[in-house]
Amino acid sequence: MQNLSVLDIMRTSAVIPVIAIDDLAHAVPLARALVAGGIRVLEVTLRTAHGLPAIRAIAEQVPDAIVGVGTLTQPQEFAAARDAGAVFGVSPGLTPALIAAAKSSGLPLLPGVMTPSEVMAAREAGFRQLKLFPAVPAGGIGMLNALAGPLGDMMFCPTGGVSQENAAQFLACRNVACVGGSWLTPKDALAAGDWGRITALARAASALRQPA
């Protein structure tokens, strides 16, 4: 699993859940519920203090999960996430310091972009797979289709405004390998420990198919 490329990871599942852990005790049962529904790629964000401990727990106790770290915004977070067991990283944007940290840590990075200039800058830095973020404010499907012409060698994971209702439309774009979203982990389901509901949401998401 350590040798998976970003593109391999993106193609593993049509949907990558964006996970914010408010209670560390939820991390492992949540991961197991998602994997049971066919969603193996998990982005655990650093938006809460439980991010790194949750990554470590999932990496150690849910071997079928491909756990990554999200909301990488500072260079020092890369090595810490890798050491916790993350096998890929996701950032909301891209800076020279983050590029250097990704290279030095060896953690495969899916960096966020919003504009054509940012896509071109990321490509110059060696990235071919990007996160369009925030996807809907950035122009959504229209922006992705527009980028496909002049920057057709780039693949995207749109995140931000992607939902159960519009995910299939995003996945129909020829330059979209997967989508990211938080609808697979509703806070009320986590609070109630309703893992069956989360497995059902994951099963529906894993059934999304991109056109050949």
Side-chain angles (χ1 to χ4, degrees):
M1 189 176 294
Q2 295 291 336
N3 296 323
L4 289 175
S5 69
V6 171
L7 189 57
D8 290 333
I9 291 166
M10 293 170 75
R11 287 176 170 165
T12 297
S13 176
V15 181
I16 299 178
V18 179
I19 301 167
I21 297 291
D22 294 313
D23 183 341
L24 185 57
H26 292 160
V28 169
L30 170 61
R32 288 175 174 158
L34 290 165
V35 170
I39 298 295
R40 297 179 57 218
V41 180
L42 315 178
E43 177 191 336
V44 178
T45 71
L46 298 181
R47 297 176 189 176
T48 74
H50 301 300
L52 289 178
I55 289 167
R56 187 179 302 279
I58 293 169
E60 290 176 351
Q61 299 180 52
V62 192
D64 289 335
I66 301 171
V67 62
V69 57
T71 323
L72 287 169
T73 60
Q74 301 179 72
Q76 64 269 25
E77 294 168 340
F78 283 74
R82 179 203 61 204
D83 293 345
V87 297
F88 71 96
V90 184
S91 63
L94 189 61
T95 67
L98 294 186
I99 293 169
K103 290 179 178 177
S104 64
S105 70
L107 192 69
L109 178 64
L110 179 68
V113 295
M114 189 177 181
T115 68
S117 292
E118 290 175 0
V119 175
M120 293 171 67
R123 184 170 65 173
E124 285 184 9
F127 297 94
R128 290 294 183 274
Q129 294 83 38
L130 306 172
K131 165 182 166 178
L132 181 67
F133 178 81
V136 170
I141 292 165
M143 172 64 86
L144 287 160
N145 289 336
L147 291 170
L151 297 163
D153 59 330
M154 308 299 288
M155 293 296 292
F156 294 90
C157 173
T159 306
V162 181
S163 66
Q164 189 171 15
E165 291 71 32
N166 63 18
Q169 295 172 290
F170 276 95
L171 288 165
C173 297
R174 62 186 174 93
N175 56 351
V176 170
C178 63
V179 300
S182 58
W183 80 89
L184 299 185
T185 58
K187 287 188 178 296
D188 59 339
L190 268 66
D194 190 350
W195 311 121
R197 178 182 169 197
I198 288 173
T199 294
L201 289 168
R203 190 171 291 119
S206 65
L208 290 169
R209 292 291 180 264
Q210 301 169 59

